[in-house]
């Protein structure tokens, strides 16, 4: 009970994103975004494309990759792993709602660490604003993976960078490397 009380705002962010998923998920439909490149249809193939990303033979007559397709490798591994658990049409919905959750949780952590140590309600309000402002709604209305991932990890990047500047111990450095890698 004390665990739930100390993490009540994080649980509320999880509950809100879960409700958003329930309200916005349309059964037996696929979520399409800007590029309409459905990587969840063939996760193994897209993992291979991300790993061998120098030459993109599936686009036009083939081209040298100039759009950083290799940076999609971590997401491709994640999509491939959850493809064993979730149905094909749910994967993209879950990925984007997970990015919304991570972004809200990351900003809550950042605000709580920087300004509102004693008043977690203000960090929660800031996280809700970050999750539901018009720019965020625009990003997630027609989702694009690069924007969703940027939304999710920007607050965590700032938080871990400031944490590393504050004390340069190995655990902060490893956390910095991990978040940058993700």
């Amino acid at each position: 009970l004390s665990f739930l009380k100390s993490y009540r705002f994080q649980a509320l962010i999880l509950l809100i994103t879960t409700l958003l998923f329930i309200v916005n998920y349309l059964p037996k439909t696929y979520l399409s975004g800007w590029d309409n490149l459905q990587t969840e249809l063939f996760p193994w193939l897209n993992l291979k494309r991300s790993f061998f990303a120098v030459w993109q033979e599936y686009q036009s007559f083939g081209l040298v990759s100039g759009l950083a397709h290799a940076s999609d490798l971590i997401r491709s591994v994640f999509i491939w792993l959850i493809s064993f658990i979730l149905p094909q049409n749910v994967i993209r919905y879950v990925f984007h709602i997970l990015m919304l959750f991570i972004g809200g949780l990351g900003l809550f952590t950042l605000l709580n660490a920087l300004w509102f140590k004693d008043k977690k309600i203000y960090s929660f309000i800031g996280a809700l604003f970050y999750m539901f402002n018009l720019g965020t709604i625009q990003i997630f209305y027609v989702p694009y993976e690069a924007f969703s991932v940027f939304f999710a990890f920007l607050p965590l990047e700032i938080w871990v960078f400031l944490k590393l500047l504050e004390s340069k111990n190995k655990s902060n450095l490893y956390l910095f490397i991990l978040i940058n890698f993700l």
Side-chain angles (χ1 to χ4, degrees), residues 12-82:
L12 273 173
I13 292 172
L14 178 63
L15 178 68
I16 289 168
T17 52
T18 303
L19 288 174
L20 274 173
F21 176 78
I22 292 168
V23 168
N24 289 301
Y25 173 66
L26 298 171
K28 298 180 183 173
T29 62
Y30 285 85
L31 179 65
S32 290
W34 281 18
D35 58 358
N36 203 18
L37 191 62
Q38 304 291 354
T39 57
E40 65 275 0
L41 296 180
F42 301 102
W44 179 249
L45 176 64
N46 288 295
L47 182 63
K48 180 182 155 200
R49 287 177 178 168
S50 292
F51 191 75
F52 300 107
V54 174
W55 180 257
Q56 299 294 318
E57 75 279 351
Y58 65 95
Q59 293 184 346
S60 183
F61 293 114
L63 71 139
V64 176
S65 174
L67 299 173
H69 292 283
S71 66
D72 199 36
L73 182 61
I74 301 300
R75 191 186 70 82
S76 296
V77 170
F78 178 73
I79 296 295
W80 177 68
L81 288 173
I82 66 172

Side-chain angles (χ1 to χ4, degrees), residues 132-175:
F132 295 110
N133 68 62
L134 291 177
T136 303
I137 293 169
Q138 182 180 0
I139 287 172
F140 285 94
Y141 186 71
V142 180
Y144 180 56
E145 283 80 4
F147 293 162
S148 298
V149 171
F150 179 76
F151 173 86
F153 286 99
L154 178 64
L156 289 174
E157 290 279 348
I158 295 169
W159 171 72
V160 76
F161 179 69
L162 293 174
K163 192 172 176 152
L164 183 64
L165 287 179
E166 186 179 293
S167 68
K168 296 182 180 179
N169 59 22
K170 283 189 177 185
S171 63
N172 286 344
L173 181 63
Y174 293 146
L175 187 61

Side-chain angles (χ1 to χ4, degrees), residues 93-143:
Y93 281 106
V94 168
F95 177 77
H96 288 288
I97 205 73
L98 182 66
M99 294 299 107
L100 185 70
F101 171 69
I102 291 171
L105 199 60
L107 193 76
F108 176 82
T109 304
L110 175 66
L111 292 177
N112 197 36
L114 287 181
W115 293 293
F116 307 120
K117 293 180 179 156
D118 299 332
K119 308 278 185 176
K120 289 188 176 185
I121 185 73
Y122 297 135
S123 300
F124 176 69
I125 291 168
L128 286 182
F129 178 75
Y130 184 65
M131 291 171 66
F132 295 110
N133 68 62
L134 291 177
T136 303
I137 293 169
Q138 182 180 0
I139 287 172
F140 285 94
Y141 186 71
V142 180

